[in-house]
Amino acid sequence: GKTFIPPFDDPKVMEGQGTIGLEILNQTEEELDYIFVPIGGGGLASGLGSYIKAVSPNTKIIGVEPGGAPCMKTAIDNGGVVELEEIDKFVDGAAVKKAGALTYEVCRQVLDDIVIVPEGAVCTTIIQMYNKSAIVVEPAGALATAALSFYADKIRGKKVACIVSGSNNDITRMEEIREKSLLYEGLKHYFIVTFPQKSGAILSFIQNVIGSNADLVHIQYIKKTNKNFGPALIGIELASREDFEPFIKRMDESGFAYKYINENNQLFEILI
């Protein structure tokens, strides 16, 4: 006998979320050029977009979806609501398989663009917002701000607002968030390295390959294949993205046999 409140696909829910647009305009003295809004099922984007376009028609509304669940972008590209076969649930507050039927009709009229943001970029933004501004956000809450780097050329010198919707971040996820950020930024790399089974092999690897611009952050022997050699899973963290090519050059010159697994999705998922 309880009343079910839809998460997004309902006129009243859309209207209620649209009041965020009222709050934004009440806090800004001049007209905004852009508003970036996260999209899950589209309730917030459709409600806010409807209000903003009615009272500030020159303001561009940019929807933002996670790369693993772009349900609204898919719907608009296909001319109708489509259910995604699979989604990445990491950005859980916006990981929706199917956009709302009502929200789709509104979003296709009020959104000026939709930006798809990789989960790794969201993780980098979560860390930056905490370190630089002491703002704690969950992945969905960082979506809009994460989109700014993908829109940098268009928003330079403009007045921009981002909707930060959600601070329900589980502290136990921070290690996963940091890992995804490092991988996205090109700072964390994994290899399977075959070491000779003799004293000093790993020390030689650290001294001659790791160098001063990298840290050995993970090492785990996978299994001993024979008495002479054994493969190990190696994780390294670089100081900058530019350090990767010199590292690979040192690997090639060292004589150690290795396999780079960051780009091998199946192997990466199994081992990492």
Side-chain angles (χ1 to χ4, degrees):
K2 303 297 183 182
T3 300
F4 174 71
I5 301 176
F8 48 81
D9 203 30
D10 180 271
K12 293 299 182 183
V13 173
M14 294 154 67
E15 288 175 17
Q17 294 183 317
T19 62
I20 295 175
L22 175 63
E23 291 182 38
I24 291 173
L25 296 189
N26 284 342
Q27 295 177 47
T28 54
E29 297 180 357
E30 301 179 46
E31 185 177 65
L32 289 168
D33 297 302
Y34 290 90
I35 297 179
F36 287 76
V37 54
I39 298 177
L44 173 59
S46 56
L48 177 140
S50 296
Y51 177 79
I52 295 295
K53 288 299 184 182
V55 299
S56 182
N58 293 326
T59 299
K60 294 186 182 299
I61 309 297
I62 310 300
V64 187
E65 291 189 289
C71 67
M72 188 62 73
K73 180 72 162 58
T74 302
I76 291 175
D77 288 347
N78 284 274
V81 175
V82 176
E83 183 169 348
L84 303 177
E85 292 184 6
E86 295 182 4
I87 61 173
D88 185 333
K89 296 183 180 180
F90 177 76
V91 185
D92 45 6
V96 178
K97 275 192 170 185
K98 186 177 180 180
L102 298 176
T103 58
Y104 160 73
E105 292 296 339
V106 177
C107 281
R108 70 185 183 89
Q109 298 178 58
V110 302
L111 294 182
D112 293 279
D113 194 10
I114 295 179
V115 180
I116 305 300
V117 178
E119 278 72 8
V122 172
C123 293
T124 295
T125 302
I126 291 172
I127 294 170
Q128 290 175 341
M129 292 179 73
Y130 179 77
N131 289 339
K132 295 181 179 180
S133 305
I135 299 174
V136 178
V137 292
E138 63 184 90
L143 262 180
T145 308
L148 295 181
S149 61
F150 296 89
Y151 238 73
D153 293 338
K154 295 180 181 179
I155 63 175
R156 187 170 287 108
K158 304 294 185 180
K159 298 178 180 64
V160 180
C162 291
I163 310 298
V164 181
S165 62
S167 60
N168 187 30
N169 196 14
D170 185 348
I171 192 66
T172 62
R173 300 182 72 186
M174 287 309 296
E175 187 58 37
E176 179 189 9
I177 289 170
R178 182 176 182 275
E179 176 85 356
K180 285 181 177 290
S181 172
L182 289 171
L183 289 168
Y184 175 76
E185 297 296 328
L187 302 179
K188 191 77 170 284
H189 301 273
Y190 287 94
F191 302 82
I192 294 176
V193 180
T194 301
F195 288 103
Q197 295 297 299
K198 63 180 182 179
S199 178
I202 294 179
L203 178 60
S204 173
F205 180 81
I206 292 172
Q207 292 176 336
N208 300 320
V209 179
I210 295 296
S212 59
N213 293 327
D215 285 325
L216 178 64
V217 295
H218 182 90
I219 180 168
Q220 177 187 0
Y221 272 94
I222 300 172
K223 64 179 180 178
K224 187 173 181 179
T225 54
N226 59 55
K227 64 179 181 180
N228 295 319
F229 295 96
L233 176 64
I234 297 293
I236 61 125
E237 189 174 320
L238 302 175
S240 70
R241 185 187 292 265
E242 290 70 28
D243 293 326
F244 183 66
E245 290 300 329
F247 179 84
I248 292 297
K249 183 179 179 181
R250 294 195 300 272
M251 287 278 281
D252 291 335
E253 293 173 347
S254 70
F256 288 103
Y258 71 89
K259 180 187 292 288
Y260 181 52
I261 66 171
N262 280 47
E263 297 172 347
N264 187 324
N265 292 335
Q266 187 175 14
L267 192 56
F268 188 88
E269 287 295 327
I270 293 172
L271 295 176
I272 311 299

